[in-house]
Every structure is written in structure tokens, then in C-alpha cells.
Amino acid sequence: MAKQRRRWENWWMALCFSFLLCFGPRVSAQIRYTVPEEIKEGSVVGNIAKDLGLDVSTLVDRRFRIVSGSKDAFFQVNQNNGELYIHKSVDREELCEGNGACVVNLKTAVENPLEIHYVAVEITDINDNHPSFSEQNQHFEIAEHTPIRTSFQLHAARDQDASPYSVRLYKLSQDENFEIDIRSSDEEKIPFLVLKKPLDREHKSEHLLILKALDGGNPPKSGTLNITVTVLDINDNRPVFNQDTYSVSLHENSPVGTTVNATDLDEGPNGEVVYSFGKSVNSKARKLFDINTVTGEITVKGVLDYEDKDSYEIDIQASDKGLIPMITDKSVTIKIVDVNDNAPEIEVTSFSNSIPEDSRPGTTVALISVSDLDSGLNGKVTCSIEDDMPFKLVASSQHSTYSLVTTSPLDRETKFQYYITLAAKDLGQPSLSSLKTITVLISDVNDNSPEFSFSPYAFYVMENNVPGKFLFSVSATDKDSNENAIVSYHTWRETSEENKYTSFININSENGEIYALKSFDFETVKTFQFQVVAADSGTPSLSSNVTVNVFILDQNDNVPVILYPVSANGSAEGVEEIPRNVNAGHLVTKIRAYDADIGYNGWLLFSLQEVSDHSLFGLDRYTGQIRTLRSFTETDEALHKLIILVKDNGNISLSATATVIVKVVEPKEAFAASDVKNTVKDEEDNNVTFYLIITLGSVSLLFVISIIVLIAMQCSKSTDYSSKYLQDTNYDGTLCHSIQYRSGDKRYMLVGPRMSIAYFYCLIGFQRKSEQRWNYTTYICRLIVKFRWNGFL
């Protein structure tokens, strides 16, 4: 309703305004202004109010305005001062055509009272356009015999400006055969090219001219036209091809020739045909093909590629050799047949060059695309890899796309990288193939525990070692890499009695070097073992342990101990009584001694350090037996003192001395003393014999068991251990035994008093066993030695 009401109001106002125009008072006036074209916006054309005598102060109230004029509203009035100004820049060539006056008529109105005034604004031209030709080049073919003064119309130049800035004259470049003639038509000047001198083709076959058009500006503007005049011989027959159409098929990459012939009815030079490519043949076709200008044979001179283009349309021109050549065009179609000349292409679109070794079968390693530029079967491609790898290719739903996936568990320690050769092969005949190798690295996971180089370890350490000094080292390697292969060491400490020596051992956690925190004593402990744990730095960490057996080697650090004779106060001194009537070789007594060391360090030798009569007594250096060398005489003294030196065979020999006082008594006294001594001895022997029988039975049983266990253990050991111990019985002495064994590159010989093979194994064979077994065995062996010393064995 509101819109309809406004429509009626506008209609009523228009009706009232028309009534006033028709019957009300009217005042009209005519004024004229002149402005040049393209004057800038806002420029003042003139003051309409001043020129019409209107009061400037009433223009706003009287609604001073333009009521009709150009649709583009090039002009506007200022109600404040009555000025007419440029609202939009005016281009005379767009507004008006021709050379006539270009006038824009405006109607202005004021109210109260209503007045209508007419304003005419003339747009004057300026020289803002160049003369121009419709084409930049114009070509004429003029025969030699063309008569002089023959004219040829040229393209006329056009200038959008009006006179006097329109085209005023033409100028032709200097040429002896041609001149310019200008003719006017409908206020337009038309140039003609006039032949002023006969043409001579043999002298000059082509004329290049330049026509310049100038307007009336100051300075004048100009435009040019390039004129090419080709001088021709006379010829009135065109060549005729012997076929309507030419078409040929050829395989790519193969040379081929086809002949295109044409005949001409003219005679002489005008009948001789020359073949060439037409002007429409592009440069690419010219590089691939060539034409024999005489025979018309088309040959391949470049490499044809079906994948680049499968057919060519070549325009052939046959031209005679007449004075004015006649030309005939013909199109030749060359179809390219595909051959299998492109090997398949392999593209790895997505690739993980490193996968963890614990990847599950079916893990995707790479996405592979294969393609072939050929067509048909030549472009169909299959892809494969070697069969002896834990990978396979899985074809996807997309054409020629494969996934490389794992087929079995991977182990970096077995093989840390794979060179996978992808083989793509098309179905052409003959088939073409291509190879591409990708490298897949297997990254490590912590799946291997450290491994020791030996298990168990056996080391030999001299007793009395310096505390804190390096003893030996263990080594473990881990097949993993990086942090997973970094091994640290520590000892496994237990509180049990048999592992008490572990607290005396320290190990370097980085390199496995083992140090002793105390000095070892062979006589206290001869062997012990402990556990070393090697752990890697992976997450989670893996570890393994190894048993280390340590054998303490003896040094000569013990002085021989005199077991007999020993006096009541503990000194090595005894008194022996012998009858005077004994013969030579009578056993006076036997020096018994013991050295806690073994081998040479425990092998004792006896010598007479001091004796009252060297001719009367002799000493066996190995057994320690003192015997008479001759019978006693009446002149021999009744009391003799013998000092015996007992020393071991160590590098630095240690020794002890024993003193024996020999009393020579009459036979009756000796017998009495002997009876008393024998009675006491018989009483002691009666008590000891019973215990001795029981002990010997037990010892014999234990000995047999020990031999069986020892043989079983020796058989279970490697031949290296059995070769370490060699028996040597070259020595014959009291408490003397000899043993040889090897440890690595070292050879050791243990020499001591001769004894049974049982005691030999007691001392040596059980050194590799636990400390508890060694203590028990040592006890049994010492019983055997004691019995032998007392003459029971």
C-alpha cells in the first residue's frame, strides 16, 4: 500500500509540473559554451547563474538543476554558485562522429517562478589519435609486363579525430618503380600505388615499400603500412596431383618414404613442378619430415613417437616454374603405428626406508606405481620381486598400483638391510622391462640379551695380590645396536657362605674389568666363584649372567714347619738314644717337616747344617732320614748334636732348622729304654689301631667315590681342562709330589713329596670345585698323609 501511495504522489507531482509548464509563467533563454575533449573531471565550463542573471543565493531554494541532457551525465551544476562543471571526462570520438560540430544540449530549470533555460556545450576536438591502417602489411603480385601508370589501391588510413586533425596526406618511401597517388572520396583520402617505370623481375624480384599517413596536427601524428610487391612471370596453368587423397601408415621410430607426384600442362619452365611444404605446416612437422623438391618423396628425418602424436596432416604445395607460378595444394595424412619402444616406469610413491624388526607380517613398506607410455598390450605392465625375501607385492584395486608388504618376521641381527629389486615387465612383443632397487633398513628393537665370550670363565690369580689392582676382565656382546647394545656389568651378590668372597671383588660397569678389594691367601682359599651379570641399556633391559671361577695360585710365602722332632716346649729339638753296637745304615731318626705351600714351593730338601762327626751320620736330603755311616768305636763320643736345615724350593727359598741330640748308650741300657718305649708305644698303638682301621675303611670308600666323581667330572669337561694336568713322578722325596698343568699360554709345575695318585687328585683335581668340597677333600688327604708319616701307609 505504501508503494502504491508513493506512486500516486509522484504521478500527481508530475501532472502538476506539466500543468505549470503548459499554463504557468515560463521564461526561457539560450547560452552556449565551448570546451575541448578529455578535459579533466571537475573543470568549470561556465557560470550559468551569472550568465543568466540569476540570484546565486536563491539557487538552492529554487532547486536549480539540469532536467535533461546526455544519458552519461557528462555535466553537473553547482547549486551553491551556479557553475556548470565536468562530471565525467568526454571523449569526442566516442560522443560524435564525423567532422561536424559536436554539441551537447542541456536543459536547466529553476522554480518559484519556474524558468527553463537551454545550454549548449560544444566539444572541440584535439589531436589525440594516430592515423592507423586496417592491416599492417599489404602484398601485391605484379607481373613484369604490367603497363606503366597502372594503379593499385592501397589500404586507406583512418584517424578518429576530426578535421583538421584527420588524415591529411600520404608519403611513400623512395622507389624508382612506384609512386603514390591520392584520391578524395566523401571527405576521405584514398591512396593508390602507381607503377611509373616497367618492372624487371631479373633485376629485382621483390619491392619492399613503406606508406606513411600523416594527420593535420602540429606536430603531426603518423601511421605506417608495409607494402610488399612480388614481381611475377606469366603462368596460366596450375599443377594437378595424380591422386585425390594421400594417406600412409608407418611404425614409429622407423624411416619411411612415400612419393607424391603432380603434372602441369604448361611447357618449359612453367611445366616443371617443384614440391614444398605449405605455409601452414608447423615447425615440429618440418623437423620430423622432409620432402624432395624434385620427386615429391616425403621421408622421415626425425624420431617419430606415437606417444607424442599419433597422426600428422601435412600440406604439400606443387608449384610450377612459370613466370607467374601457379600453386596447387594437397594434404597428406601420415598415421603413426605404435611399437613397444617404451620400457615400463617404476615410481615409489610412498616409502618407509626403515621398519622395526618386530613388525608384524603384512606391514606395508612402500606403495609402488608402474606405468608404460605405450598402448594396448605394449602398455600393460606386471611387477614382481625376488622370491627369497621376506617381502611380497600385493596388487591394489587401482590400476598398476602395488603395495610392498612383509611376509615373515624380521631379524635385524640376521640381516639389517635388504636391497629389493622391483622388476616391471610389459606384455609387448618383444617384451621390455625395467628394474629399480630400493633399500629397506631394519631398525633394531631390544630382543637380544648380552652374550659372554666364555661360559664359564676360569681365571688364575697369584696369592698375595695387591688390593685394587686389575686382575682380569669379562666381556659380553649384544647383537642389538645403539642403546640396545650398550652393556653394563655388575656382580650378583648373595649372602650365602659359599659366595662370601664376592664382596672382595669389584667390577667396572663399563668394560667388565675386575679388581680385587683384598689380597688372597692360597692357604686360606684356593678357589671360589661368583656371578657376573651383563645388562643392556634397552627398554626394557635384557640381561644374562656367567659364572666366574677364580683359582688362587700358590706363592712361596710359608716357612717349612718341623713336625718331628718337637720338644715339650714346642722347639724343633729331640733326643734319640741308639745302642753302640748298631751297624752302618742304622736308622737313627727321621725328620718330618711340612710346608703349607705346594709345588716347588712345598718341596722340601734336608741338609746337615752342623754335625759333630761327619763320618758317623748321614742325612737323606729327600726323605730326612738320619742313618749311621759306620759302626761306633770305643773312641767315639757318646753324645752327638746334629742341626738339620729344612728348606723349600721356591724362587726365594724359605727354611727352618731342627736339632737332634743322639746319645750312644750301651746295649743293655738301650734295650731297657727300648722296652719302656715299646710298652708305651704298644699301648698307644693298641688304642690307635682300632680307630685307624675305621678311618682307613672310611677313607678308602670316600676315595673310591671321589675317583668316580672326578672321572665323571673330567669326562664332562672339555679336553682343554684335561690337558692342563700332567703327572710327573720324577721326584722321590718325603712329602714330595710333582704335577704339571697349563692355563692359557702358561705352564705350571707343582712339585712335592711323592704320594699316591689319590692324594695327587686331592690336591689338584678338586681345585676347580667349590670351597666346601675342597675343605672336605683336604681333610681326607691330610689324614692319608698323617697315616703315611706314622708308617701306617
Side-chain angles (χ1 to χ4, degrees), residues 319-390:
S319 174
D320 60 26
K321 295 184 178 180
L323 294 177
I324 302 177
M326 303 296 289
I327 300 173
T328 302
D329 295 327
K330 184 64 66 175
S331 178
V332 177
T333 302
I334 300 177
K335 296 180 180 180
I336 309 301
V337 179
D338 182 44
V339 297
N340 192 22
D341 61 341
N342 289 280
E345 296 180 356
I346 303 173
E347 181 182 4
V348 181
T349 57
S350 179
F351 177 47
S352 299
N353 63 346
S354 179
I355 59 174
E357 61 178 321
D358 60 349
S359 299
R360 294 182 178 179
T363 300
T364 301
V365 179
L367 297 179
I368 299 163
S369 298
V370 294
S371 60
D372 196 313
L373 296 177
D374 296 319
S375 61
L377 291 177
N378 298 333
K380 291 185 177 180
V381 183
T382 60
C383 190
S384 62
I385 63 173
E386 300 175 7
D387 295 333
D388 58 345
M389 289 195 174

Side-chain angles (χ1 to χ4, degrees), residues 194 207 306 329 418 422 444 754 763 780:
V194 179
H207 295 262
Y306 173 86
D329 295 327
Y418 291 88
L422 305 171
D444 185 50
R754 184 174 60 189
L763 294 178
I780 300 300

